[in-house]
Amino acid sequence: MEPTPSLPVRADIVQLRDGTHIYTDQLPTAFQQQGPPPVVHIHQAPPDRTGQRVALGTGIGAGTVAAGVYFGPLLVGVITSMAISLAVVALVAVATTWGLVTVVRTVAQDGDQAAKNLRKARRRSR
């Protein structure tokens, strides 16, 4: 009698969790491996998510991250509104100063001219 050689295990057969064996080409799509999961590095994240990833990576908690997500755009809006208000106030101050200086120069020139005319009139009357 010849001993039967041991058969090699085929690589395309896998054992499922329930213990049954199945060919890999017959696996349901949920079990088929698509390769390693994609790794997203922090510098590849969108700009608004980078801070959140850093915060969660340091372990400060999801509540703090949620507050940052909520109050971040709110803070940007408030600062922008303040900047616009300050720009308007600065424009009004510049316009007022320009108008005031113009009026003072005009009055001063008219005053100088009036003083010269008065001096001439006094000289004539003597």
Side-chain angles (χ1 to χ4, degrees):
M1 254 188 171
E2 252 179 63
T4 56
S6 63
L7 297 173
V9 178
R10 292 182 53 174
D12 58 347
I13 299 177
V14 293
Q15 185 177 7
L16 299 177
R17 291 183 198 140
D18 61 358
T20 59
H21 292 79
I22 191 169
Y23 289 104
T24 55
D25 60 348
Q26 297 173 353
L27 279 175
T29 57
F31 292 108
Q32 290 180 357
Q33 295 179 354
Q34 302 295 332
V39 177
V40 178
H41 295 280
I42 199 163
H43 64 274
Q44 295 172 332
D48 57 330
R49 300 286 188 255
T50 302
Q52 297 169 30
R53 289 175 186 228
V54 169
L56 288 175
T58 58
I60 61 172
T64 306
V65 174
V69 169
Y70 179 75
F71 289 113
L74 192 65
L75 182 63
V76 169
V78 167
I79 291 173
T80 303
S81 174
M82 289 170 48
I84 291 171
S85 298
L86 288 174
V88 169
V89 168
L91 182 65
V92 168
V94 166
T96 303
T97 304
W98 176 77
L100 187 61
V101 167
T102 304
V103 168
V104 167
R105 283 184 183 166
T106 304
V107 168
Q109 287 176 356
D110 290 345
D112 288 342
Q113 188 64 36
K116 288 178 185 176
N117 291 339
L118 186 59
R119 282 187 217 127
K120 285 181 186 178
R122 283 189 185 168
R123 287 184 194 153
R124 290 184 194 159
S125 64
R126 289 188 183 176

